[in-house]
Every structure is written in C-alpha cells, then in structure tokens.
Amino acid sequence: MTHLADAAGAGMIGAKLGEGREAEVYAWGDRAVVKLYRPGYLGHLAESTALANLDGHGVAPRLIEVVNWDGRPGLVLERLAGSDMLALLQRRPWRVLALARALAAAHLAVHGVRAPADLPDLRQVLAARVEDADLPPQLRDFAMRILDGLPSGDRLCHGDYHPGNVLVAADRISVIDWANATRGVPEADHARTLLLLRWADPLPGTPLISRGLMAAGRAVFARGYARTYGGGSGRPLQLVDSWLVVHTAARVSEGIEVEQPLLIGLLEGARRNATR
Ligand SMILES: Nc1ncnc2c1ncn2[C@@H]1O[C@H](COP(=O)(O)OP(=O)(O)O)[C@@H](O)[C@H]1O
Ligand SMILES: [Mg+2]
C-alpha cells in the first residue's frame, strides 16, 4: 500500500458514483473506485483501518491503496457490482423480508470479526456524542448514567449500518462506508441499526411516493432484521434497550432537525419508565 503517495495519472479518476456529507466516490480505472474525503473530515483513518482488517473476510470491498488526491485523502477500493439495498427496497418492495434477513446475516458476519486495537472504543465515542448533543440536562444525564453501566467489547462495529451502506450483487453482499468503525459489543452496533430502521428520517429529497412505501415497509423490514439478527447470534442479546437509549441521545448530536422532537420524546418516555 502506498502511504498517502500522490496519486499518479489524472486519467485514473472517472465519473462520480455517489456522495455524502463526508466524501465523494468516483470511478478509478475500470475495476476500482476512489472515496475522496472532504477537507477536514478524518473518517478515512477508521475506514482504512477497518477495511485492512476485513481483508479476506468477503464482507467488504478490498482496500487497494490510500492516496492523496489534490490534497485530499482518498481510499482506492475494489469496485463492487450491484446497487445499494435502499435503492433495491424501493425498486423491489416485495423482497423486503429476504433483504431484511440478508442485512442481518451480513451484520452478524461483521460482528464475528475481532476489531483492531487502534479503532476507537465505541463507549468513548458515544460518550463524546451524548455530551455534544443539544439535550435538556436531565436527559443527557439519564443517557450518560445508562452508558456508564454498559460494557466495552472487542468486536468490529460498523457505526452506521443501514441499507444505504450495503451493496447487493447477484452473488455477494458487501458492507461499505466504514468511516465510523469502532470496537465494541455487537449489541451496541445492532441497537444503532434498530434506531435507524425504526425512526430515522429517509434521506432528504426522497420523493413522497418512496416515503409512503418506506413508512409501510419499514416496520416489516425492521422486524425481519431484528428477528434474524437475534436468532442468528447464538446467544441471548444483552441490554439492547439500554444501548437504544444511548444511541437515541447520541443521534441528537447529528442535528437532523425533523428528527429532534421524536428523539426527545423517545428519551423522555424511557426516562419516565426508568423512574417509575
Ligand atoms: N466499492 C464500491 N464499489 C462501487 N460503488 C461504491 C463503492 N463504494 C462506494 N460506492 C458508491 O458510492 C456511494 C457512497 O459511498 P459511501 O462509502 O457510502 O460514502 P458516503 O460517506 O458518501 O455515504 C455508495 O452508495 C455507492 O453507490
Ligand atoms: Mg454511505
């Protein structure tokens, strides 16, 4: 792997394939893509660490090299076929259950992998995000107290595992977007996915018709994912509801305006239940 060597050959970079808040993804030659982080974002550190560790497991694209493109860090990744599971759910809503099970199976495979020691501890990452969240003090304290009682772990946690970060091809499912990878217990990573599947606002700009389909399908999808994950883990899941509370508080720090009333309401409900 070249270590932030300047990428050679302007001809390598091709069409833009996708973009998010932190990065843009472009074709890179015929068989690869390059994920270029926006200036100031450091997600490439966790992403390259996680991907290097996942090499050979068959659940993520292979990391080919780390480059510097025009002053921006870029990860050159094996180019995967297929489309992301969110798009697939919209095109083929009748496959909702099969896709939910596939999402859970791939998540279990991820949690079978031991995390490298240099990834951050998920509990510390969550503590920082809860501290940072714009929350009434009593709700922040409530979430922090719960987090204090939760365990650390040594499993690879993705940190943002949802259908938009899973690519589905005929013969293979691959997990992408490892910028938030951490070290923790599986339940913690599982709870973040439950929160997103149940409550997260669909990406801004989603057409109304897909929003309708999503509302109808998401409960079925979330239940299918939860059942398969729970059934396949081979042991009783521990403290998922507690992790859900902490993730709900941490989610507030992402500042997604339309979600805030719902998140606060969920936290108030959990706090009332706990003090009853
Ligand atoms: N290895 C890959 N092969 C093919 N397409 C990819 C690959 N990695 C990312 N993409 C495309 O780029 C999009 C964004 O990638 P992602 O890693 O999720 O970045 P972001 O942080 O922008 O969400 C994906 O939805 C997918 O369309
Ligand atoms: Mg993504």
Side-chain angles (χ1 to χ4, degrees):
M1 200 191 296
T2 57
H3 294 284
L4 283 176
D6 283 324
M12 295 297 285
I13 202 151
K16 190 188 277 190
L17 303 175
E19 70 181 304
R21 200 159 51 120
E22 284 194 32
E24 297 165 303
V25 177
Y26 294 89
W28 186 259
D30 292 337
R31 307 236 227 137
V33 303
V34 64
K35 180 169 181 177
L36 289 182
Y37 276 83
R38 298 183 196 279
Y41 284 98
L42 297 174
H44 65 287
L45 297 171
E47 181 152 32
S48 56
T49 304
L51 286 172
N53 190 64
L54 279 161
D55 203 358
H57 286 276
V59 286
R62 200 165 63 80
L63 174 65
I64 299 168
E65 62 177 340
V66 182
V67 296
N68 188 318
W69 182 265
D70 227 2
R72 293 165 66 181
L75 306 186
V76 178
L77 310 170
E78 166 193 7
R79 181 169 185 166
L80 299 164
S83 55
D84 72 78
M85 193 183 277
L86 195 59
L88 214 54
L89 277 165
Q90 287 168 17
R91 283 208 305 275
R92 314 215 172 119
W94 59 90
R95 289 186 59 193
V96 60
L97 258 187
L99 290 170
R101 289 182 188 131
L103 185 74
H107 210 184
L108 287 163
V110 166
H111 294 155
V113 177
R114 185 194 297 272
D118 45 354
L119 279 180
D121 181 330
L122 177 53
R123 291 180 67 247
Q124 283 171 16
V125 171
L126 281 170
R129 292 178 59 213
V130 174
E131 289 293 358
D132 194 40
D134 184 12
L135 279 169
Q138 70 276 15
L139 291 183
R140 180 180 304 114
D141 294 350
F142 170 61
M144 289 301 275
R145 268 201 313 280
I146 291 184
L147 178 57
D148 273 343
L150 289 170
S152 294
D154 71 347
R155 298 289 98 189
L156 181 59
C157 293
H158 180 276
D160 197 26
Y161 190 81
H162 61 73
N165 282 333
V166 172
L167 297 184
V168 185
D171 55 344
R172 182 176 166 192
I173 282 203
S174 308
V175 184
I176 59 169
D177 206 355
W178 292 85
N180 300 294
T182 57
R183 209 160 26 91
V185 295
E187 284 88 344
D189 206 35
H190 174 59
R192 158 89 181 177
T193 301
L194 290 175
L195 179 76
L196 295 175
L197 295 184
R198 288 177 187 161
W199 308 114
D201 196 59
L203 301 176
T206 310
L208 265 181
I209 174 123
S210 336
R211 280 180 185 261
L213 275 177
M214 280 179 178
R218 75 188 302 164
V220 176
F221 188 75
R223 259 201 315 275
Y225 161 79
R227 286 212 180 116
T228 305
Y229 186 92
S233 80
R235 62 189 174 88
L237 298 182
Q238 312 273 336
L239 303 166
V240 173
D241 287 344
S242 300
W243 286 111
L244 261 171
V245 169
V246 177
H247 275 294
T248 305
R251 176 76 173 173
V252 172
S253 73
E254 289 171 50
I256 302 167
E257 213 52 59
V258 291
E259 286 183 12
Q260 305 298 340
L262 175 69
L263 297 173
I264 303 281
L266 287 168
L267 288 170
E268 278 168 347
R271 182 161 171 269
R272 263 197 312 275
N273 277 342
T275 51
R276 235 196 341 235

